[in-house]
Amino acid sequence: MAKNTQNLSSNARLLKAKASKHAIYGVIIALLAIVFGTVGVAFVQSSTITVDTLVAAQANNMALWVLNAMPFVFAFWGQYVSSLIAFEASAMVVDQTSDLRAQTVALEAEMTRHATHDQLTGLPNRILLKDRLGQGILRAAQSKTRLAVLIMDIDRFKEINEAMGPYNGDRLLKQVATRLQSAAHESETIARLGGDEYAVVIPNLAQPRDVSQVVKRIEKTLEVPFMLEGLKLDVRASMGIAFYPEHGTDADTLMQRADVAMYAAKRNRAGFLVYSPKYDEYSPQRLTLMGELRHAIENNELILHYQPKVDLKTGVIDEVEVLVRWNHPKYDLMYPDEFIPLAERTGLIKPLTMWVLNHALSQCTRWRNEGLTLGVAVNLSAQVLFDLDLPDIIAGALAAHDVASERLILEITETTIMVDKDRALQILSRLSDMGIRIAIDDFGTGYSSLSYLSKMPVDEIKIDKSFVLDMHENKSNAVIVRATIELGHNLGMSVIGEGVEDAGMLAQLRALGCDAAQGYYLTKPLPSDEFTAWLVTTQSQGALKVEAGKVQLKGIPADTA
Ligand code: G
Ligand code: G
Ligand code: MN
């Protein structure tokens, strides 16, 4: 800015100097004309050139008088013109400077607009929204009022964008912005957060439920089909809402929770949902984890741990439970409680279970080749159990790995069976007919009626570890364990106690007539190689016997009364 002005004024000075120079030339030419003129006139009048004849020429010739005036004319004119040029130039400088200044101001305004507004729709962007939200929170805190953040995401926008092309996608985003703007009240800030996500900050809500009026307004404005390339497009959106002060007292928390509610609304096709902690599993971080899990299954990031079950009458270990873990590249080893529920909700549980089943069966074959006869118990979720193709898929897997069906046990929780008893019966019967054994997992935690159990082709009941773990202290749990063992036996099933952590628990279960035990007392679940190493060390310590592929825990038969 300052540099430009300087440049322009020095240019004006240059112009002025140029004009002055030409005026000086004029003066010199005029002076020369006087000299030559006077000499000429003197020569013509008296044929000689002396001081007298020159003075006489000057005194008598009127043309020379005019000529004499010329240097003054040139000097004056030169001064005049150069001043004029200088004046014009500085006027130009002033003009251009103010032009430049106006341009700079516009440019700066444009830059702040870029930083605070979305270019496509002209709406405030995430940065400005957060700023306004922060101010809104301060005002709400002062006036002790309620404020809502609403985050809206267009349903199936990706599909629309792919089908109609990004140009039309952009047009739709603009049209949505326009409609939102017209639907909003003056006090509400509308923003585009990026992609197909918009946000509205709604101040001064008397009650949380007043927000539904805003939601209705938005839904109404989207109801009219959008026109794109002559096509009528029905556009729906999912909305998530978080309130100040109920769900957060700072902008980041409120935005994050509104986002979580929005994802939950999308998953549940609920239209809109107000945040609740129970939706946290829908948070984008969790969804990222889902994407990573898909990748993990394909890239063998999952690993299997094996935990033995011991027969309490013979000491024989001929079965291991298969428990999946996720060797996540960023986090520590992840346990199934962290990702199985997610896999169940996204349909990933099926490929995951297939991965587990195939790897467990191939491990089973490997052990057999090493001379160890071990069956594998695989856990099944409801979604997998109720798949009518399951028996065929399992038959295929058994054949592919050349494993006898008696070597496979399927662990299914009580609650899973209760989801659909008839269908469970149908599928479990087919599996059982194939020779596969069925175990009821976590027995006692499902509060289910026992009568249905007798109809199911169940081979084994696994008493939940919560009962076994505090049998010592908790008399009623001891009663439950005893009753379960009796019930199981009456129904012709074998009963296994989980969560056996010490010799005392093992002895107590055996005394109660329990058929088998599983727990840390034997070993924690271990990777296959560590499991084999455990067998070798335990055997070298004299606690195990491995003969003709049969693994036997010593001491158990001897203690049996
Ligand atoms: O050791 P642990 O934290 O692994 O097991 C926790 C729970 O995860 C257990 O109740 C078990 O039933 C479940 N689980 C472990 N592996 C699998 C699996 O491969 N599929 C399913 N559906 N559940 C599993
Ligand atoms: O529900 P299911 O039976 O599939 O779960 C087995 C779970 O129990 C696994 O998470 C396993 O790590 C855990 N587990 C196995 N043995 C013991 C034990 O002795 N004590 C405790 N607390 N947990 C155990
Ligand atoms: Mn289990």
Side-chain angles (χ1 to χ4, degrees):
M1 223 16 245
K3 206 172 162 209
N4 275 331
T5 319
Q6 247 172 29
N7 268 346
L8 282 167
S9 53
S10 65
N11 281 347
R13 229 175 290 127
L14 212 74
L15 280 172
K16 193 172 172 178
K18 240 184 184 165
S20 305
K21 201 168 81 187
H22 286 282
I24 289 164
Y25 292 159
V27 170
I28 291 168
I29 290 166
L31 285 172
L32 285 175
I34 294 169
V35 171
F36 285 114
T38 312
V39 170
V41 169
F43 191 74
V44 170
Q45 279 181 352
S46 16
S47 309
T48 54
I49 297 166
T50 63
V51 175
D52 286 341
T53 55
L54 288 176
V55 170
Q58 273 287 333
N60 304 324
N61 193 304
M62 292 241 296
L64 283 183
W65 296 354
V66 175
L67 214 56
N68 286 346
M70 287 317 286
F72 299 101
V73 171
F74 272 115
F76 177 77
W77 182 63
Q79 270 304 305
Y80 174 73
V81 169
S82 71
S83 300
L84 204 72
I85 287 173
F87 177 77
E88 272 182 7
S90 47
M92 260 159 62
V93 168
V94 172
D95 271 8
Q96 289 187 12
T97 310
S98 63
D99 255 17
L100 272 171
R101 201 170 282 142
Q103 273 178 29
T104 312
V105 168
L107 215 76
E108 276 167 1
E110 179 71 10
M111 265 156 60
T112 33
R113 243 191 105 67
H114 262 210
T116 57
H117 286 76
D118 167 46
Q119 265 181 285
L120 181 70
T121 61
L123 287 177
N125 65 10
R126 190 181 281 272
I127 294 168
L128 185 56
L129 180 90
K130 244 164 99 172
D131 195 56
R132 297 259 177 94
L133 178 55
Q135 290 166 11
I137 289 171
L138 280 180
R139 247 174 282 135
Q142 276 162 8
S143 58
K144 296 210 176 356
T145 52
R146 183 175 285 102
L147 170 147
V149 185
L150 182 153
I151 289 182
M152 182 190 107
D153 188 279
I154 300 172
D155 293 345
R156 296 174 26 250
F157 178 74
K158 206 164 155 265
E159 282 170 44
I160 298 171
N161 203 39
E162 274 165 16
M164 315 268 304
Y167 169 71
N168 286 309
D170 281 359
R171 279 179 56 200
L172 177 62
L173 291 176
K174 275 195 248 183
Q175 289 182 26
V176 169
T178 313
R179 291 202 194 176
L180 284 177
Q181 260 170 326
S182 63
H185 286 173
E186 214 169 293
S187 60
E188 298 162 4
T189 305
I190 302 222
R192 177 172 173 235
L193 300 178
D196 58 340
E197 222 175 54
Y198 300 82
V200 189
V201 175
I202 309 146
N204 294 321
L205 285 167
Q207 301 180 62
R209 72 175 124 90
D210 291 348
V211 82
S212 64
Q213 280 161 16
V214 183
V215 171
K216 275 204 199 101
R217 257 194 276 138
I218 294 175
E219 281 174 342
K220 229 181 155 57
T221 182
L222 297 180
E223 247 169 37
V224 183
F226 287 76
M227 293 300 293
L228 278 185
E229 306 258 287
L231 279 177
K232 267 192 190 174
L233 217 62
D234 275 320
V235 171
R236 241 164 271 256
S238 300
M239 289 175 258
I241 294 150
F243 291 112
Y244 168 88
E246 286 89 342
H247 302 133
T249 50
D250 63 274
D252 281 326
T253 311
L254 284 175
M255 299 262 288
Q256 193 253 334
R257 302 214 145 152
D259 209 37
V260 165
M262 186 276 289
Y263 273 103
K266 206 174 260 291
R267 282 233 154 265
N268 297 319
R269 300 178 205 285
F272 84 97
L273 284 176
V274 171
Y275 171 79
S276 148
K278 68 173 183 254
Y279 300 140
D280 278 337
E281 66 204 34
Y282 295 103
S283 77
Q285 292 95 300
R286 299 303 270 172
L287 294 175
T288 309
L289 207 58
M290 279 330 307
E292 290 171 348
L293 180 56
R294 189 184 304 276
H295 179 87
I297 298 167
E298 287 161 7
N299 291 276
N300 289 320
E301 271 175 31
L302 300 180
I303 47 172
L304 295 182
H305 283 189
Y306 302 88
Q307 191 182 34
K309 302 178 181 180
V310 63
D311 185 317
L312 288 176
K313 290 195 180 68
T314 60
V316 167
I317 297 171
D318 60 0
E319 203 180 301
V320 290
E321 177 170 4
V322 182
L323 297 151
V324 70
R325 276 96 180 84
W326 180 1
N327 207 355
H328 193 285
K330 259 190 299 195
Y331 314 118
D332 285 340
L333 196 68
M334 282 173 71
Y335 283 77
D337 339 300
E338 286 182 79
F339 59 90
I340 293 278
L342 284 168
E344 282 171 342
R345 263 191 306 275
T346 52
L348 275 181
I349 189 67
K350 230 181 120 176
L352 184 145
T353 308
M354 290 312 126
W355 189 95
V356 171
L357 181 71
N358 279 305
H359 283 75
L361 291 177
S362 107
Q363 181 59 51
C364 186
T365 309
R366 218 168 301 139
W367 275 323
R368 192 184 59 202
N369 294 341
E370 289 167 14
L372 288 171
T373 312
L374 289 169
V376 283
V378 171
N379 293 284
L380 285 192
S381 300
Q383 274 186 48
V384 178
L385 176 69
F386 293 121
D387 182 349
L388 289 171
D389 295 333
L390 183 70
D392 294 333
I393 293 172
I394 289 184
L398 286 169
H401 294 279
D402 189 24
V403 173
S405 54
E406 296 75 43
R407 290 269 157 264
L408 179 64
I409 299 98
L410 297 176
E411 295 195 5
I412 296 143
T413 64
E414 249 183 303
T415 21
T416 294
I417 291 177
M418 293 303 284
V419 170
D420 185 341
K421 281 177 269 180
D422 296 336
R423 189 146 166 173
L425 178 61
Q426 183 193 347
I427 294 176
L428 289 182
S429 301
R430 281 179 62 198
L431 290 167
S432 183
D433 289 346
M434 286 163 58
I436 293 162
R437 279 178 289 155
I438 310 293
I440 305 285
D441 208 354
D442 304 341
F443 188 82
T445 58
Y447 307 104
S448 50
S449 90
L450 298 175
S451 62
Y452 75 90
L453 255 188
S454 58
K455 299 191 203 97
M456 296 282 165
V458 169
D459 301 278
E460 185 179 290
I461 289 179
K462 293 186 79 178
I463 306 175
D464 191 72
K465 56 179 170 283
S466 56
F467 301 104
V468 178
L469 273 167
D470 65 351
M471 265 188 318
H472 295 304
E473 294 94 51
N474 192 326
K475 278 248 159 54
S476 64
N477 274 354
V479 172
I480 290 173
V481 170
R482 181 194 298 271
T484 308
I485 292 168
E486 274 170 26
L487 171 89
H489 287 166
N490 287 341
L491 294 173
M493 302 165 186
S494 72
V495 181
I496 171 167
E498 292 189 319
V500 175
E501 295 192 349
D502 55 43
M505 288 158 90
L506 193 86
Q508 199 175 346
L509 281 177
R510 201 170 54 218
L512 289 171
C514 192
D515 302 280
Q518 178 183 353
Y520 293 170
Y521 176 59
L522 285 168
T523 171
K524 287 188 177 180
L526 296 171
S528 60
D529 50 345
E530 283 177 42
F531 179 77
T532 319
W534 172 78
L535 284 182
V536 172
T537 8
T538 321
Q539 190 187 4
S540 73
Q541 288 163 357
L544 268 186
K545 200 167 72 181
V546 185
E547 260 173 21
K550 213 164 98 169
V551 183
Q552 197 169 10
L553 192 68
K554 283 212 238 163
I556 284 184
D559 290 353
T560 317

